[in-house]
Amino acid sequence: MRYYQVLIADQIYHGSEALTYSSELMLESGSLVKVPLRNRQVLGIVYSLVAEPKGKQIKPVSQLLDTPSLSPETLELMVWMQKFYSASIGVISKHFLPKLLLKSGVDIPTPPKTKPSLPSLKKLPVLNNDQKQVIAAVKDQGTYILHGETGSGKTRIYIELAYKAFVDGKSSIILTPEIGLTKQLYLRFEEVFGNNVVVFHSHLSENERFKIWLRILKSQTPLIIIGPRSALFSPLRKIGLIVVDESHEDAYKQEQGPYYHTTRVATKMGQLYKATTILGSATTNIVDFYIATQKNIPILRLSELAAASGPAKKLKVQVVDLKDRSKFTKSGHLSDVLLSRIKETLDRKEQSLVFLNRRGTARSVICNVCGWQALCPNCDTPLTYHADDHLVRCHICSYHDVPPSTCPVCSNTDIIFRSIGTKAVVAELEKHFPSARILRFDNDNKKLDRLEAQYENVHKGAVDIIVGTQTLAKGLDLPKLSLVGVVTADSSLYIPDYTAQEKMYQLITQVIGRVGRGYLDGQAVIQTYLPNNPILRAAVSKDWAAFYKQEIAERQQFMFPPFCFLLKISCKRVGRSAAEKAAANLVDDLKSKKLRLIVSDPTPSFHEKIGNKYQWQIIIRAKERDQLLGVIKMLPSGWSYDIDPINLL
């Protein structure tokens, strides 16, 4: 009889350690098995052979599944994630296995055999000097920041590096922040790698995901895996390249347990596989950039436009002051300048993109005349208006006050801000341009209307005006697009969070970067309440250095990442007073322990009422991340946590 440690791949198991089972068979590490747990049969992953435990009754393995084993690197990554994010093995393992396998664990079909294509770079454009220098600087192992301007040809570099890995017999994982962008990437890679390219994401049916997962697991040849963050956990055995494209995006943070961040897991995965890891973005995350400078991680720059051919293309940016209502005579939300530019673009049979920042839906105290905004005196973040108790609150430090009835700068009384939605923008555009073909892309789209389903129509110019939210600012490359309009550029600044300025810089830079990419002359119309805001000016002029210098100084002054680690903990109760009391009691308990922590006073969560319960939160900062892991282990029942949160809402 042999004894094995088995990682339980079921959410009913809340433990952090592998369990021991017996088997007469010689089982490989990474083998998939069925094992008994609490009178149920659950899926498990064999971790290691161990000595016979003394004095314990050991249950036998029920069944060995007829699939290849998971790689040793996969097992080590699972164990590392469990420790790093203080999550249960059951929660971690669900990300590595398809649901159908978890549900059935039997009847494993054999994927159809496909003859692999031989990759060829012949159809691709010639590399420019910038691209050649970057490729020459990238070695076979290590992490790199690829800080490339929009339109500088980062995808071309990814393809070149994936080709090198393929020739060495290794697979590549190319991650994108949105499922809507997978089609664009797939077409670019398929041109070189043919049927070796596999798209893997959550919008596939369970059956499709199961079949693709099995194909990846059983593949004897290298593959190119393309998808959002979940594609990182594809069951590959040899990996030569991991790319996190648009690495600054919030979508790379898992918002449910284990609350992992894709860039951190990808970096660890690259270390385990001895692979090259590329974090690519035109607007690199502040924390990633700072850590790279401190740890001597190479930062590779791309500034030369990749797609340019013939005479240089122009990019003209116009900033419209939303406070000047004389510029909005035809529409309350779309300026005369923007409407005029859309008409000109339609006349030239080119495309327009009208972008709405959905992040700006918070109720903030802002003056529509002079642009003044109510900020927390302690955290320098926007205060949020709570109508139920008529207070403005900071959601980080618990500062609160009665909102002013008039603007303290110009005495204006119209100071409560509300944002417009995408459907209202579409209605405005249909009124002014009744014959235009308009498509809206946001989270309300049905499956057939999503960007990944409509990408080819958008790409070939069958859509005249594209309206949407963040997805449209992320890496889209549309040859017929020549105009971008931003309805409210500064709405990110109204979000009560320390990342507000960074999000504004990233969004404006990214959305402007959809035009002027070397195909057509480009125009951008930026509508804003704050035309002289230094962050906006830096984004419009692509002055990363100025933005970074200001932002990193403020982060250090108010002690936000990268100068500390963060933990957000929260509780839900039926009554507001009960939630507030529970949070206050925990704060008192934590402070009494004299830990090396900065514990905020409790505050209502940004979305205080969820269903029929009230949610209150506590923000904890520490210089050492292990201190926060210790707090997680001592949390009372009924509390949830998010370690390394990307925002404090």
Side-chain angles (χ1 to χ4, degrees), residues 341-354:
R341 296 294 173 268
I342 293 174
K343 183 180 183 306
E344 293 167 3
T345 304
L346 287 169
D347 291 342
R348 294 193 303 269
K349 301 190 183 306
E350 296 169 1
Q351 283 178 321
S352 301
L353 186 158
V354 179

Side-chain angles (χ1 to χ4, degrees), residues 321-323 360-375 382-385 392 403-419 488-495 504 527-531 533:
D321 190 343
L322 277 161
K323 300 188 299 294
T361 55
R363 299 191 69 188
S364 300
V365 179
I366 180 173
C367 176
N368 285 330
V369 174
C370 73
W372 170 86
Q373 185 181 7
L375 301 176
L383 297 171
T384 299
Y385 175 63
V392 286
S405 57
T406 59
C407 172
V409 175
C410 70
S411 301
N412 176 53
T413 57
D414 182 19
I415 60 173
I416 299 299
F417 177 83
R418 290 179 175 85
S419 66
T488 312
D490 39 41
S491 50
S492 282
L493 293 181
Y494 311 141
I495 295 294
M504 178 184 179
Q527 299 180 173
T528 173
Y529 285 100
L530 305 168
N533 181 279

Side-chain angles (χ1 to χ4, degrees), residues 364-584:
S364 300
V365 179
I366 180 173
C367 176
N368 285 330
V369 174
C370 73
W372 170 86
Q373 185 181 7
L375 301 176
C376 173
N378 303 319
C379 305
D380 199 40
T381 55
L383 297 171
T384 299
Y385 175 63
H386 286 253
D388 49 6
D389 51 11
H390 191 57
L391 290 174
V392 286
R393 290 180 177 272
C394 174
H395 287 260
I396 297 173
C397 76
S398 80
Y399 172 85
H400 59 275
D401 199 357
V402 177
S405 57
T406 59
C407 172
V409 175
C410 70
S411 301
N412 176 53
T413 57
D414 182 19
I415 60 173
I416 299 299
F417 177 83
R418 290 179 175 85
S419 66
I420 183 177
T422 51
K423 292 179 182 178
V425 171
V426 169
E428 286 278 294
L429 290 167
E430 287 174 340
K431 182 173 70 175
H432 289 279
F433 309 107
S435 60
R437 297 166 296 181
I438 302 172
L439 267 187
R440 171 180 59 84
F441 296 107
D442 58 25
N443 291 335
D444 296 329
N445 283 131
K446 295 179 180 178
K447 186 173 182 178
L448 293 178
D449 297 326
R450 291 171 182 159
L451 182 57
E452 65 267 28
Q454 294 292 331
Y455 173 75
E456 290 184 34
N457 285 332
V458 173
H459 188 266
K460 70 184 181 183
V463 180
D464 298 316
I465 305 174
I466 310 158
V467 178
T469 53
Q470 275 82 335
T471 298
L472 300 180
K474 301 172 184 177
L476 272 181
D477 190 37
L478 303 176
K480 295 182 181 293
L481 184 69
S482 64
L483 172 67
V484 162
V486 181
V487 177
T488 312
D490 39 41
S491 50
S492 282
L493 293 181
Y494 311 141
I495 295 294
D497 191 64
Y498 76 97
T499 64
Q501 293 190 144
E502 181 177 18
K503 296 308 172 194
M504 178 184 179
Y505 179 88
Q506 290 170 342
L507 276 167
I508 299 306
T509 302
Q510 291 285 342
V511 78
I512 290 175
R514 296 314 103 212
V515 292
R517 299 173 69 87
Y519 305 111
L520 301 167
D521 289 342
Q523 296 184 83
V525 177
I526 312 297
Q527 299 180 173
T528 173
Y529 285 100
L530 305 168
N532 296 316
N533 181 279
I535 303 298
L536 177 64
R537 290 203 306 267
V540 168
S541 60
K542 296 185 178 181
D543 192 348
W544 162 264
F547 158 69
Y548 179 78
K549 182 179 179 181
Q550 176 180 329
E551 184 68 11
I552 204 72
E554 291 191 11
R555 297 279 184 97
Q556 188 166 24
Q557 179 184 354
F558 294 100
M559 196 179 169
F560 286 117
F563 300 101
C564 73
F565 294 97
L566 290 176
L567 174 66
K568 179 171 65 176
I569 57 177
S570 57
C571 67
K572 293 179 185 176
R573 299 291 186 270
V574 174
R576 179 187 287 115
S577 59
E580 183 177 5
K581 184 178 180 181

Side-chain angles (χ1 to χ4, degrees), residues 67 152 228 241 275 298 301 306 392-393 487 514 554-555 569 586 595 614 638 642:
T67 65
S152 60
L241 175 69
R301 292 286 288 135
V392 286
R393 290 180 177 272
V487 177
R514 296 314 103 212
E554 291 191 11
R555 297 279 184 97
I569 57 177
L586 184 55
L595 302 170
Y614 291 86
D642 184 358

